[in-house]
Amino acid sequence: MFAGAQVSLYPMTDGFVDVILSSLNALDPWRNQLRIETDDISTLIVGPPEVLFPALRDLYASAAATGTHVVLRTTLSRGCPGEPDDPICQTGALANPEEPLASRQQSALAAIAATPEKGQVADVQFSLYVMGAGDHMAEIVGCIDFLKQSGTFDRSKNFCTRLTGDAGPVFATLQQAFCQFGPPNGHVTIDLTVSANSPSKR
Amino acid sequence: MFAGAQVSLYPMTDGFVDVILSSLNALDPWRNQLRIETDDISTLIVGPPEVLFPALRDLYASAAATGTHVVLRTTLSRGCPGEPDDPICQTGALANPEEPLASRQQSALAAIAATPEKGQVADVQFSLYVMGAGDHMAEIVGCIDFLKQSGTFDRSKNFCTRLTGDAGPVFATLQQAFCQFGPPNGHVTIDLTVSANSPSKR
């Protein structure tokens, strides 16, 4: 299995380079479990979902704590048939394919309840895509049903769903959406935007 | 059919609000063929692909012309089973399902060759997703083969493809990727990032 994310931070300030560089320190506790490569558009972070989502949460929370209007943008993927298996991605976090949807929804809700808060609000917009064989709309509808019970659900929009709340439970919700829905050997992606300190909200 | 995009502009400057508001004027010539709604995270633009892509190109080129480091981020979708049919999205731009892949690739290349330049460089990173029945990987591989011949191809990365060149042919390439691959009644999405004036490139 191959899993990871292409990640970008967009701080809406003249000092955007400083905000990006200082926020990257938040990845330090996770670096030994990830492979990280940067170019001029995004940073590739390869690793298992149970490391990837907390690392993204900490990166976001660090950038948000600067008080700047900043957006974290990520393309997450697991199981892409075009990518090679990678030992660093080995994970026990993906749902058992034999488990019914209702039971997977309950596990996902329990995981959110067990997640501590981070002290930073995260306004999220995301789309979950399930590719390949099987009934991809049944999995997406099951996931939306879980999201509505998650405590972080804000509203549905065209093409995407909005979440809001503390970054702890919000990123836990995203991790559960990514891991519990769609087959464990399937190709699942998330197109994710997380916004902090937007003046449009004030 | 329902088609559209959730669009955001991220200018990396203290004056980000002015860059966003002044760039939006570039949508004026297209507004009567689109439906546009804005909130604090993104702007929904609903309309057919042959209007949507030129409108996004002009919005991007206008923002890039300010000289600021600015990123346009878009989630594009057509044929999502969860969205209602909308007359404003009526289109003749989608490929004929009977047409073989090689012939669709040739039409796509001819459309790019016929597209004038805009005078702004566009550095693109995107992922194309084809959902539902059928061999989604065959369509994606066929699309990547087209991209490599497009004249705008830069390189493949994990989870995505990079294009670079003048915004005219680059957005034409994206439009062809969106319209010519995947079934016309299928669900196709693009996760798109376009970057201008990045200091990391200098």
Side-chain angles (χ1 to χ4, degrees):
Chain A
M1 217 266 298
F2 194 89
Q6 292 285 0
V7 184
S8 305
L9 274 178
Y10 304 124
M12 260 58 81
T13 168
D14 294 348
F16 65 93
V17 174
D18 289 344
V19 173
I20 294 170
L21 294 180
S22 68
S23 302
L24 287 172
N25 295 333
L27 293 178
D28 288 347
W30 306 103
R31 280 183 192 274
N32 64 339
Q33 296 166 274
L34 298 167
R35 194 170 73 244
I36 301 179
E37 296 163 19
T38 295
D39 71 16
D40 59 297
I41 288 204
S42 63
T43 293
L44 172 68
I45 306 184
V46 178
E50 61 270 39
V51 178
L52 208 50
F53 282 90
L56 290 173
R57 173 199 66 202
D58 292 354
L59 176 63
Y60 168 79
S62 176
T66 63
T68 312
H69 175 30
V70 58
V71 168
L72 177 135
R73 251 289 317 163
T74 308
T75 300
L76 289 136
S77 171
R78 67 168 167 93
C80 177
E83 309 276 3
D85 277 344
D86 191 318
I88 205 174
C89 300
Q90 200 164 2
T91 177
L94 302 183
N96 177 347
E98 306 298 320
E99 202 179 337
L101 205 50
S103 157
R104 287 183 273 142
Q105 290 169 332
Q106 287 311 310
S107 308
L109 293 171
I112 297 170
T115 303
E117 300 210 334
K118 280 295 289 185
Q120 294 292 334
V121 172
D123 286 309
V124 159
Q125 179 162 304
F126 80 108
S127 307
L128 177 82
Y129 303 118
V130 177
M131 258 77 63
D135 186 352
H136 82 291
M137 283 311 288
E139 289 292 318
I140 288 172
V141 169
C143 180
I144 291 172
D145 186 38
F146 147 69
L147 293 172
K148 288 185 175 169
Q149 302 173 59
S150 68
T152 66
F153 183 79
D154 177 19
R155 63 185 186 275
S156 296
K157 289 173 63 174
N158 294 99
F159 320 134
C160 54
T161 299
R162 285 197 53 169
L163 309 177
T164 191
D166 181 273
V170 164
F171 278 82
T173 303
L174 292 166
Q175 179 178 336
Q176 295 303 313
F178 190 68
C179 293
Q180 296 282 352
F181 304 92
N185 55 356
H187 182 198
V188 175
T189 69
I190 284 181
D191 171 343
L192 171 66
T193 302
V194 196
S195 174
N197 311 312
S198 169
S200 306
K201 280 192 73 190
R202 280 171 206 155
Chain B
M1 217 267 296
F2 193 89
Q6 293 285 0
V7 184
S8 303
L9 274 178
Y10 304 125
M12 260 58 81
T13 168
D14 292 349
F16 65 93
V17 174
D18 289 343
V19 173
I20 293 170
L21 294 180
S22 68
S23 304
L24 287 173
N25 294 334
L27 293 178
D28 289 347
W30 304 103
R31 280 183 192 274
N32 64 338
Q33 297 165 272
L34 297 168
R35 194 170 74 245
I36 301 179
E37 296 163 18
T38 296
D39 71 16
D40 61 298
I41 288 204
S42 62
T43 292
L44 172 69
I45 306 184
V46 178
E50 60 269 40
V51 178
L52 208 49
F53 283 90
L56 290 173
R57 174 198 64 200
D58 291 355
L59 175 63
Y60 168 79
S62 176
T66 63
T68 312
H69 175 30
V70 57
V71 169
L72 177 135
R73 251 292 315 163
T74 308
T75 301
L76 290 136
S77 172
R78 67 170 168 92
C80 178
E83 308 277 2
D85 277 343
D86 191 318
I88 205 175
C89 299
Q90 199 163 4
T91 178
L94 300 183
N96 176 347
E98 306 299 321
E99 201 178 338
L101 204 50
S103 156
R104 287 183 273 143
Q105 289 169 332
Q106 287 311 311
S107 309
L109 293 171
I112 297 169
T115 303
E117 301 211 333
K118 280 296 288 186
Q120 293 292 333
V121 172
D123 286 309
V124 159
Q125 180 163 303
F126 81 108
S127 308
L128 176 82
Y129 302 119
V130 177
M131 258 77 64
D135 186 353
H136 83 292
M137 283 312 287
E139 290 292 317
I140 288 172
V141 170
C143 180
I144 291 171
D145 186 38
F146 148 69
L147 293 171
K148 288 185 175 169
Q149 302 174 57
S150 68
T152 66
F153 183 79
D154 177 17
R155 63 185 186 273
S156 297
K157 289 172 64 173
N158 294 99
F159 319 135
C160 54
T161 299
R162 285 197 54 170
L163 309 178
T164 190
D166 181 274
V170 164
F171 278 82
T173 303
L174 292 165
Q175 179 179 334
Q176 294 304 314
F178 190 68
C179 292
Q180 297 283 352
F181 304 92
N185 55 355
H187 182 198
V188 175
T189 67
I190 284 181
D191 171 343
L192 172 65
T193 302
V194 196
S195 174
N197 311 313
S198 169
S200 306
K201 279 193 74 192
R202 280 172 208 153

